[in-house]
């Protein structure tokens, strides 16, 4: 029986991605001026309206409306032509402070609450929420990502590049891509079975021209010719027209593209979104740490595939559990992966923040085209700096 897997990606002009980027742009502005800011910011968008809501505690003062306008302008919604004009939309800001009940769990972890040593109390951070987070890596691509989501993201980025670069000026900011990959009996990518691209465009563009241009300028530069054959199916704007898009075509909300953000559905997901959350929220920071661990394990050659689950309780400074799944691809049954992790990675909330240097304004760039496997941005959770230390477990 043949094995197929499909993943999708969306461009930065997709309504949900607009919201993700606004939330992360606001986060970046707060931590740029106050790295200790506590931010939980969500955005909702529809025709003519942007709503920013959430809880923020910070010493910084940020003009949130200006951040919203700048972000949407950079994405490309600057005229009525594509259904949304940043210069003519209403922006509502409804921000409150972080709950003191949550803050005390972060600032005063349960394990140190009765500790008389003030230094221990000050040097530890409790998790800002409960839950489980997953990280994944596979050696089927050079960036240790599943092939289907890797190709889908590259097509989405290319759609944006040809639009913003002026090569296809008639394209709008909204768009989606989808790639179906066929795997061989050794679970390796064999061929691309199906490519789907939906690209917003101006009303005066004929379907035939759009199809020809997308094939020539988006698909051909990205998809390896050895991975397509006469049976590969390509669908470009299969409805025949995609003029109404962006917030006019569909409302958007932060956190609704969590599978696009991660591994395209290949790996499990704990359910927590990333965008708009500062690094004390383990929904985000622990998911980054889990990817960092899984990637270094695979890059070190300990396994061909690795999925790491971490779980936390709000107010505790250590994980409540660590679980590693290698799908029977580990090089040796004698490797104790939990021991490997405990000896080489500090997965306490404070340890993750320091290990990955997360109190920096680096998050807006992560909001589009995936948080993992990026080669265009130097994200700390993508580093392979633990490979040398992990290779000793091969002995």
């Amino acid at each position: 029986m043949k094995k197929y897997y499909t993943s999708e990606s969306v461009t930065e002009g997709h309504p949900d991605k607009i919201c993700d980027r606004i939330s992360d742009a606001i986060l970046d502005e707060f931590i740029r001026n106050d790295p200790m800011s506590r931010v939980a910011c969500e955005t909702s968008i529809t025709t003519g309206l942007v709503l920013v809501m959430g809880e923020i505690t910070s010493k910084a003062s940020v003009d949130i409306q200006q951040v919203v306008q700048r972000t949407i302008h950079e994405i490309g919604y600057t005229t009525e032509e594509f259904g949304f004009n940043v210069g003519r939309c209403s922006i509502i800001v409804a921000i409150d402070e972080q709950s003191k009940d949550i803050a005390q769990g972060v600032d005063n972890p349960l394990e140190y609450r009765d500790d008389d040593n003030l230094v221990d109390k000050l040097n530890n951070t409790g998790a800002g929420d409960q839950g489980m987070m997953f990280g994944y890596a596979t050696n089927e691509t050079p960036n240790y990502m599943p092939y289907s989501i890797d190709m889908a993201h590259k097509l989405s980025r290319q759609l944006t590049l040809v639009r913003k670069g002026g090569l296809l000026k008639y394209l709008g900011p909204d768009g989606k891509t989808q790639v179906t990959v066929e795997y061989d009996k050794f679970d390796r990518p064999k061929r691309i079975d199906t490519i789907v691209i939906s690209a917003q465009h101006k009303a005066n563009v004929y379907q035939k021209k759009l199809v020809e241009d997308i094939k020539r300028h988006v698909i051909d530069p990205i998809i390896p010719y050895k991975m397509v054959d006469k049976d590969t199916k390509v669908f470009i704007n299969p409805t025949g027209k995609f003029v109404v898009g962006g917030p006019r075509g569909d409302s958007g909300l932060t956190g609704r593209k969590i599978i696009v953000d991660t591994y395209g559905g290949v790996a499990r997901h704990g359910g927590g979104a990333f965008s708009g959350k500062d690094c004390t929220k383990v929904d985000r920071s622990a998911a980054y740490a889990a990817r960092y661990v899984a990637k270094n394990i695979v890059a070190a050659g300990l396994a061909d595939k690795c999925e790491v689950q971490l779980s936390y309780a709000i107010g505790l400074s250590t994980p409540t559990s660590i679980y590693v799944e290698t799908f029977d691809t580990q090089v040796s049954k004698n490797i104790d992966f939990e021991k490997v992790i405990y000896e080489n990675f500090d997965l306490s909330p404070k340890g993750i923040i320091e290990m990955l240097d997360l109190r920096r304004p680096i998050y807006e760039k992560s909001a589009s085209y995936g948080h993992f496997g990026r080669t265009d941005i130097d994200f700390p959770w993508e580093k392979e700096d633990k490979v040398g230390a992990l290779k000793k477990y091969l002995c």
Side-chain angles (χ1 to χ4, degrees):
M1 186 174 180
K2 292 183 178 180
K3 178 182 177 182
Y4 299 89
Y5 205 87
T6 302
S7 297
E8 74 158 345
S9 177
V10 298
T11 66
E12 62 192 47
H14 183 280
D16 294 329
K17 276 292 144 200
I18 299 172
C19 295
D20 285 345
R21 183 164 169 182
I22 289 172
S23 295
D24 273 337
I26 292 169
L27 168 65
D28 276 359
E29 283 304 309
F30 273 100
I31 61 177
R32 180 175 287 112
N33 295 285
D34 176 12
M36 303 304 289
S37 295
R38 300 280 172 82
V39 180
C41 174
E42 297 188 46
T43 305
S44 180
I45 195 167
T46 189
T47 306
L49 175 66
V50 180
L51 170 62
V52 179
M53 53 193 164
E55 300 79 42
I56 299 176
T57 300
S58 177
K59 295 178 182 178
S61 178
V62 172
D63 187 339
I64 291 178
Q65 290 199 346
Q66 189 277 328
V67 175
V68 172
Q69 291 171 337
R70 186 264 299 170
T71 304
I72 298 175
H73 188 276
E74 288 179 358
I75 290 171
Y77 287 108
T78 56
T79 68
E80 301 293 341
E81 191 168 25
F82 293 116
F84 193 90
N85 183 351
V86 65
R88 299 183 62 181
C89 74
S90 298
I91 301 172
I92 299 174
V93 179
I95 296 292
D96 202 350
E97 289 190 343
Q98 183 188 60
S99 162
K100 288 182 171 56
D101 294 344
I102 296 175
Q104 72 174 357
V106 176
D107 298 332
N108 191 14
L110 179 63
E111 300 99 318
Y112 300 92
R113 208 160 291 166
D114 298 323
D115 193 340
D116 293 331
N117 190 332
L118 183 61
V119 174
D120 285 344
K121 286 187 176 183
L122 294 175
N123 286 338
N124 286 278
T125 300
D129 203 351
Q130 72 173 48
M132 67 285 193
M133 300 83 207
F134 291 91
Y136 180 78
T138 171
N139 62 7
E140 66 187 64
T141 60
N143 58 353
Y144 300 97
M145 290 291 286
Y147 193 78
S148 54
I149 189 65
D150 190 43
M151 287 294 105
H153 280 323
K154 287 177 178 177
L155 288 172
S156 288
R157 285 200 299 269
Q158 186 69 5
L159 264 180
T160 298
L161 288 173
V162 298
R163 171 178 66 90
K164 287 187 169 182
L167 188 59
L168 301 181
K169 295 180 180 179
Y170 60 78
L171 290 182
D174 198 356
K176 284 187 171 185
T177 66
Q178 185 171 287
V179 176
T180 300
V181 177
E182 180 183 345
Y183 286 79
D184 64 19
K185 63 181 180 180
F186 303 107
D187 214 23
R188 296 175 303 200
K190 179 181 178 181
R191 57 182 288 274
I192 291 177
D193 182 76
T194 309
I195 298 170
V196 183
I197 296 181
S198 295
Q200 188 184 19
H201 59 87
K202 293 182 179 180
N204 60 353
V205 177
Y206 291 105
Q207 172 77 352
K208 181 179 179 180
K209 175 175 174 54
L210 185 141
V211 169
E212 291 174 350
D213 284 348
I214 294 295
K215 284 183 177 178
R216 180 180 178 184
H217 298 296
V218 178
I219 296 176
D220 289 349
I222 297 300
I223 302 297
Y225 74 93
K226 292 182 179 179
M227 292 297 290
V228 297
D229 55 33
K230 61 181 179 61
D231 295 320
T232 298
K233 299 175 286 293
V234 178
F235 301 101
I236 298 173
N237 284 20
T239 65
K241 185 171 69 171
F242 185 7
V243 175
V244 179
R248 183 182 175 190
D250 192 10
S251 60
L253 182 66
T254 298
R256 279 206 302 212
K257 285 291 176 284
I258 58 176
I259 300 303
V260 172
D261 286 343
T262 52
Y263 308 101
V266 174
R268 286 170 284 192
H269 197 294
F274 300 158
S275 292
K277 297 178 181 178
D278 72 84
C279 56
T280 66
K281 279 72 173 176
V282 286
D283 273 345
R284 182 170 215 160
S285 57
Y288 290 167
R291 161 65 177 178
Y292 179 57
V293 172
K295 184 176 182 180
N296 276 272
I297 285 174
V298 175
L302 273 63
D304 293 337
K305 297 179 182 180
C306 182
E307 183 181 74
V308 175
Q309 185 203 54
L310 306 176
S311 68
Y312 293 83
I314 189 167
L316 268 67
S317 66
T318 54
T320 55
S321 73
I322 297 175
Y323 176 75
V324 179
E325 171 65 75
T326 58
F327 310 95
D328 292 326
T329 67
Q330 66 271 25
V331 296
S332 171
K333 299 289 186 181
N334 296 323
I335 298 176
D336 183 342
F337 283 98
E338 288 193 19
K339 179 182 178 183
V340 170
I341 292 173
Y342 277 115
E343 290 181 351
N344 293 276
F345 301 92
D346 183 351
L347 297 177
S348 66
K350 179 177 182 289
I352 292 171
I353 292 169
E354 293 181 350
M355 179 173 63
L356 300 180
D357 193 13
L358 295 179
R359 295 195 186 277
R360 296 179 291 143
I362 58 174
Y363 299 104
E364 183 180 356
K365 293 179 180 179
S366 73
S368 304
Y369 315 113
H371 292 245
F372 307 120
R374 301 288 291 274
T375 57
D376 56 321
I377 303 169
D378 186 24
F379 287 138
W381 50 88
E382 290 298 312
K383 292 182 178 179
E384 300 169 29
D385 53 351
K386 296 286 189 177
V387 168
L390 298 188
K391 282 184 179 291
K392 67 183 181 182
Y393 296 95
L394 292 170
C395 302

